[in-house]
Amino acid sequence: MGNKSNRSRRYTEEFKRDAVALVRSSGRTVTEVARELGVSAEGLRNWVRQDQVDQGQGHRAS
């Protein structure tokens, strides 16, 4: 009986930006930062990847 809102939680763009910046500046792994922030590692990894794409540093997989 899980709470569905936990699985579809939405985060502000500012929160995502700050989380990505923390990954980049802290020297810690995505998993460590995600645990500290209380978000899924997979979700944070996606935010980091999307930020790279947005800055022209990568490509979006189809």
Side-chain angles (χ1 to χ4, degrees), residues 1 3 10 15 17 20 23 26-27 30 38-39 44 52 56-57 59:
M1 280 196 199
N3 185 348
R10 302 288 289 175
F15 180 86
R17 233 182 354 260
V20 169
V23 169
S26 69
V30 169
V39 302
L44 180 52
Q52 289 173 329
Q57 299 173 357
H59 58 76

Side-chain angles (χ1 to χ4, degrees), residues 9-48:
R9 189 168 187 187
R10 302 288 289 175
Y11 298 97
T12 65
E13 290 304 313
E14 180 181 20
F15 180 86
K16 292 177 184 180
R17 233 182 354 260
D18 290 348
V20 169
L22 187 56
V23 169
R24 293 212 169 114
S25 66
S26 69
R28 295 185 312 226
T29 66
V30 169
T31 302
E32 290 170 330
V33 173
R35 190 175 300 128
E36 178 183 322
L37 296 176
V39 302
S40 76
E42 181 181 354
L44 180 52
R45 205 169 282 112
N46 288 338
W47 299 344
V48 170

